[in-house]
């Protein structure tokens, strides 16, 4: 067993070996809660949820930290007189939590807010000043990029080729690329968004927040730092520079998920293609959303269309139909089988979290399971049923899991079942009376509603058409 991950810093696949084989440590950049979650936020969170689940299976324990940036320029800009910045941040944080929970993303081991670690940020800034890698200027503090020869190590850029940092007023900077560690209080910003510091009242810069929180909860060295590919520069580059300049070993592996596009265009509010997560979840089953966002490789650019969700729904229905059919035919006398996840599934997941290849194994197992049911091979069918459940369980996508059942067990589903059972009974009576025309009309009406009938020795059963 060797797990391999693509390390963005070295730009190659690496064998993954955690510092503590019994406890993998991960830090993932969470949301800046200035506005509600977009579907791209769910894709990013899901990528690391899948990685976390697989590493938990392989190593037994994962300490997973995902932060909340609740103090930032954008949070302050979006606040209003009726909703102060801290109220906005909390409301939006709850929206993210609801969206994450809806698609089954596991809660982090720790989920620190930036405002809860201000003393740790100030301590880190003081260390950088003492080491000669930061300087104060009129109440602001900047990281001196020229003082750290390794600056640019994550994205492999030279300093002179970089764009100037735009996170603070450049007048106090020695170099336009120097970035803010501490921002002095401004007269046009809320008075309650200010903390005292050795350099004067103010608030932290964005980049210092994650360095301080990862150190606080995981120590000065941890296994994996994750986030969206759009965070590599400047955010992650700056995190790496300031943490290592302060003497921390910091992240041992860098893992980034790909972007989400709509119609091959990067999501943007200005383009009008910014899909809000809660809107999508209002229109689509949460398990379908999870499958659609997780089925592509995490490093790929995912182009979302209505067809993406339709295809996910079809794939899940194929799996669900097999599980229901197998459970019905095998019944309570389900053969005892020694089955775990297939080796091909494990190999795909070990190889840089190859979810597309792993799902191909799932669907091949479904096909083989249906063939075994057709042939009356109960042991083979039972083995396929167990394997499918375990594989989809690892991915957090098992349709048979109770967390995905509420909608299917509701009043609408019960009413649909009652109507279909009545039509099935009428069709059976028509066939018994050799009234083939009536039987065919009932069959055609049921098929037109997108329902498939399966006649068997134990009666007729219905399922939704997966095509």
């Amino acid at each position: 067993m060797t797990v391999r991950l693509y390390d963005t810093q070295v730009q190659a696949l690496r064998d993954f070996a955690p510092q503590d084989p019994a406890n993998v440590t991960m830090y993932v950049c969470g949301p800046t809660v200035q506005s509600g979650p977009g579907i791209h936020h769910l894709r990013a969170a899901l990528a690391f949820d899948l990685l976390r689940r697989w590493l938990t299976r392989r190593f037994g324990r994962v300490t997973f930290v995902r932060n909340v940036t609740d103090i930032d320029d954008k949070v302050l800009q979006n606040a209003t007189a009726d909703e102060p910045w801290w109220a906005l941040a909390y409301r939006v944080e709850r929206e993210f939590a609801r969206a994450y929970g809806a698609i089954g993303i596991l809660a982090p081991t720790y989920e620190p807010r930036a405002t809860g670690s201000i003393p740790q940020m100030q301590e880190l800034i003081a260390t950088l000043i003492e080491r000669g890698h930061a300087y104060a200027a009129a109440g602001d503090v900047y990281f001196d990029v020229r003082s750290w020869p390794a600056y640019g190590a994550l994205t492999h850029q030279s300093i002179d080729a970089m764009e100037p940092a735009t996170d603070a007023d450049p007048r106090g900077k020695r170099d336009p690329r120097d970035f803010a560690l501490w921002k002095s209080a401004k007269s046009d910003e809320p008075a309650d968004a200010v903390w005292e510091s050795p350099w004067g009242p103010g608030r932290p810069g964005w980049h210092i927040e994650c360095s301080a929180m990862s150190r606080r909860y995981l120590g000065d060295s941890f296994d994996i730092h994750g986030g969206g590919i759009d965070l590599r520069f400047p955010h992650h580059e700056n995190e790496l520079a300031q943490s290592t300049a302060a003497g921390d070993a910091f992240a041992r592996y860098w893992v980034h998920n790909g972007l989400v596009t709509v119609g091959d265009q990067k999501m943007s509010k200005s383009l009008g293609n910014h899909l809000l997560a809660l809107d999508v979840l209002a229109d689509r089953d949460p398990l379908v959303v999870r499958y659609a966002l997780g089925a592509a490789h995490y490093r790929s650019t995912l182009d979302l269309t209505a067809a993406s969700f339709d295809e996910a729904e079809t794939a899940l229905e194929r799996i669900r139909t097999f599980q229901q059919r197998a459970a019905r035919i095998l019944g309570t006398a389900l053969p005892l089988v020694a089955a775990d996840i297939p080796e091909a599934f494990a190999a795909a997941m070990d190889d840089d979290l190859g979810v597309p290849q792993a799902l191909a194994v799932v669907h091949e197992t479904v096909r083989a399971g249906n063939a075994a049911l057709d042939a009356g091979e109960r042991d083979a069918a039972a083995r396929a049923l167990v394997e499918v459940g375990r594989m989809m369980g690892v991915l957090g996508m098992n349709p048979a899991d109770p967390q995905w059942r509420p909608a299917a067990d509701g009043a609408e589903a019960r009413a649909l079942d009652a109507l279909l059972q009545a039509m099935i009974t009428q069709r059976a009576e028509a066939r018994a009376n050799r009234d083939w025309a009536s039987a065919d009309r009932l069959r055609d009406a049921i098929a037109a509603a997108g329902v498939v009938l399966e006649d068997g020795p134990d009666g007729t059963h219905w399922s939704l058409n997966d095509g």
Side-chain angles (χ1 to χ4, degrees):
M1 174 202 80
T2 301
V3 176
R4 298 198 307 163
L5 294 174
Y6 186 87
D7 187 327
T8 314
Q9 183 174 12
V10 301
Q11 300 179 342
L13 287 169
R14 294 176 58 199
D15 290 351
F16 177 67
Q19 295 181 111
D20 178 357
N23 180 27
V24 177
T25 49
M26 292 179 63
Y27 183 91
V28 174
C29 284
T32 299
V33 286
Q34 84 272 13
S35 59
I39 200 69
H40 59 294
H41 292 115
L42 291 194
R43 198 270 173 109
L46 177 57
F48 293 101
D49 182 70
L50 292 167
L51 178 58
R52 174 191 185 181
R53 288 170 183 264
W54 185 246
L55 294 177
T56 299
R57 180 178 177 88
R58 280 307 198 202
F59 296 97
R61 179 185 174 192
V62 174
T63 299
F64 185 92
V65 180
R66 185 184 66 221
N67 76 296
V68 175
T69 297
D70 59 341
I71 183 67
D72 178 79
D73 291 350
K74 295 176 182 178
V75 175
L76 298 183
Q77 290 165 6
N78 287 359
T80 65
D82 294 329
E83 187 176 41
W85 68 271
W86 46 266
L88 166 69
Y90 183 69
R91 175 177 62 79
V92 173
E93 179 185 334
R94 300 311 304 154
E95 289 182 13
F96 272 89
R98 285 197 300 275
Y100 290 158
I103 66 167
I105 293 173
L106 300 173
T109 312
Y110 307 110
E111 192 170 23
R113 297 186 182 108
T115 53
S117 295
I118 301 294
Q120 288 75 22
M121 297 173 199
Q122 294 182 352
E123 178 185 350
L124 186 55
I125 293 169
T127 299
L128 288 168
I129 293 174
E130 180 183 346
R131 285 174 166 248
H133 300 300
Y135 58 93
D140 297 318
V141 180
Y142 300 101
F143 183 86
D144 184 351
V145 296
R146 298 282 181 183
S147 75
W148 188 242
Y151 187 64
L154 180 63
T155 54
H156 306 282
Q157 301 181 78
S158 68
I159 292 177
D160 292 330
M162 295 178 184
E163 294 294 324
T166 59
D167 59 347
D169 190 327
R171 288 177 297 177
K173 296 183 179 183
R174 297 173 182 171
D175 187 292
R177 297 161 190 83
D178 292 350
F179 56 89
L181 303 174
W182 188 258
K183 298 183 177 185
S184 60
K186 308 295 189 296
S187 60
D188 60 344
E189 293 182 348
D192 57 359
V194 172
W195 288 261
E196 292 299 324
S197 82
W199 317 284
R203 57 185 172 86
W206 177 32
H207 311 300
I208 199 67
E209 295 179 349
C210 286
S211 284
M213 286 185 283
S214 61
R215 173 199 261 184
R216 182 179 184 184
Y217 290 92
L218 296 175
D220 62 10
S221 177
F222 55 94
D223 292 318
I224 297 171
H225 195 316
I229 193 68
D230 53 329
L231 296 179
R232 286 178 66 228
F233 187 87
H235 186 47
H236 289 169
E237 187 73 77
N238 292 350
E239 279 186 64
L240 176 61
Q242 66 200 7
S243 290
T244 50
D248 293 349
F250 207 51
R252 301 173 62 245
Y253 296 80
W254 288 88
V255 178
H256 290 91
N257 66 275
L259 299 176
V260 176
T261 61
V262 176
D264 291 326
Q265 288 184 314
K266 181 179 177 181
M267 279 193 178
S268 167
K269 292 180 181 178
S270 63
L271 293 174
N273 63 356
H274 183 76
L275 295 179
L276 293 177
L278 296 180
D279 289 346
V280 174
L281 288 167
D283 293 336
R284 296 284 185 167
D285 182 275
L287 179 54
V288 170
V289 175
R290 183 179 178 94
Y291 190 103
L293 296 178
H297 192 271
Y298 76 94
R299 286 195 287 117
S300 68
T301 296
L302 175 61
D303 189 49
L304 277 181
T305 64
S308 307
F309 297 106
D310 293 341
E311 291 166 5
E313 188 170 8
T314 296
L316 284 164
E317 189 58 33
R318 189 176 298 116
I319 295 167
R320 182 184 289 110
T321 299
F322 163 66
Q323 290 178 316
Q324 293 172 344
R325 181 187 181 211
R328 184 174 65 248
I329 292 174
L330 298 174
T332 56
L334 182 69
L336 295 176
V337 295
D340 199 355
I341 58 173
E343 290 184 5
F345 178 94
M349 295 295 285
D350 281 341
D351 188 13
D352 195 31
L353 205 68
V355 173
Q357 294 77 16
L359 284 171
V361 178
V362 172
H363 288 289
E364 174 57 28
T365 307
V366 167
R367 187 205 63 76
N370 276 319
L373 289 172
D374 293 340
E377 298 171 355
R378 293 176 60 84
D379 286 352
R383 183 173 296 105
L385 178 61
V386 172
E387 288 178 348
V388 167
R390 290 184 176 173
M391 288 187 286
M392 293 301 283
V394 166
L395 299 175
M397 300 179 188
N398 186 3
D401 192 299
Q403 78 178 103
W404 305 117
R405 290 181 189 169
D409 290 340
E412 292 181 3
R414 291 194 296 271
L416 175 62
D417 182 66
L419 290 171
L420 284 170
Q421 292 299 342
M423 295 179 74
I424 288 170
T425 299
Q426 293 172 19
R427 174 173 173 264
E429 291 173 350
R431 295 174 70 184
N433 295 328
R434 306 180 70 80
D435 183 358
W436 307 119
S438 295
D440 288 347
R441 279 197 302 273
L442 287 162
R443 180 201 61 203
D444 292 344
I446 292 171
V451 175
V452 175
L453 298 182
E454 181 182 357
D455 296 314
D458 58 342
T460 300
H461 303 276
W462 67 269
S463 62
L464 296 178
N465 190 343
D466 66 0

